[in-house]
Amino acid sequence: MASPDQQVSPELQQFIARESQVAQIQSMIATLTEVCWDTCIQSPGSHLSGKEQTCLENCARRFVETTQYILQRAAHKADNSGGF
């Protein structure tokens, strides 16, 4: 473990930031899959019905749009509170 007086290289900082973003995306995909599967799939089978496919598409779209809205809203609040 690095002592407080040691500097972390910019390359390591970038690597950590990228890996953190990958982990966040993977977590979001896992949540999306679980929520939409539980909502849309009545009984798993060898193929999806048209209703299930449409439900999954709509669920995924709403999930992504909602996540984007929340992130934009949080960024906007952070920008506005930074000046006070």
Side-chain angles (χ1 to χ4, degrees), residues 14-76:
Q14 290 175 350
F15 174 78
I16 292 169
R18 279 192 308 270
E19 289 300 310
S20 177
Q21 289 174 342
V22 168
Q24 289 173 341
I25 290 168
Q26 289 173 334
S27 176
M28 186 176 95
I29 290 170
T31 301
L32 167 87
T33 302
E34 182 178 347
V35 168
C36 292
W37 181 270
D38 290 346
T39 300
C40 298
I41 306 302
Q42 302 304 315
S43 57
S46 60
H47 66 281
L48 296 173
S49 70
K51 181 180 176 182
E52 290 171 330
Q53 188 172 359
T54 299
C55 180
L56 285 170
E57 289 169 0
N58 291 335
C59 180
R61 186 177 304 110
R62 284 192 308 268
F63 186 90
V64 170
E65 288 171 353
T66 301
T67 301
Q68 288 174 336
Y69 173 78
I70 290 168
L71 292 173
Q72 289 171 351
R73 181 83 171 127
H76 180 71

